[in-house]
Amino acid sequence: MKRTLLTLATVITTSATGISLYIGTLPNPTDVQKQLSNTTNTIAIAGATALFGLLDDNDEGNSTNP
């Protein structure tokens, strides 16, 4: 289950980062594009945080279960 969540979080984070980078390169973005850029930045930050959390939980070396 964690591997599925890790894959999903990676795809969403990568997509949000790509959209944000694209909008950031526009010469004169509209207000809606600026709002979309802010939203995708937030998603990318939250996704990166989730990825690091899932990676830590997926580490088998620190597991306390036998």
Side-chain angles (χ1 to χ4, degrees), residues 25-42:
T25 62
L26 294 176
N28 294 318
T30 64
D31 287 337
V32 173
Q33 289 170 331
K34 290 178 186 176
Q35 291 172 359
L36 179 62
S37 179
N38 288 338
T39 302
T40 56
N41 284 339
T42 303

Side-chain angles (χ1 to χ4, degrees):
M1 179 69 176
K2 289 181 187 176
R3 189 164 303 276
T4 304
L5 289 175
L6 181 64
T7 304
L8 182 62
T10 302
V11 169
I12 292 171
T13 302
T14 305
S15 299
T17 303
I19 293 168
S20 180
L21 289 173
Y22 172 73
I23 293 173
T25 62
L26 294 176
N28 294 318
T30 64
D31 287 337
V32 173
Q33 289 170 331
K34 290 178 186 176
Q35 291 172 359
L36 179 62
S37 179
N38 288 338
T39 302
T40 56
N41 284 339
T42 303
I43 292 169
I45 291 168
T49 304
L51 286 174
F52 284 114
L54 287 170
L55 288 176
D56 289 342
D57 289 341
N58 200 19
D59 188 14
E60 294 178 8
N62 294 334
S63 179
T64 56
N65 295 333

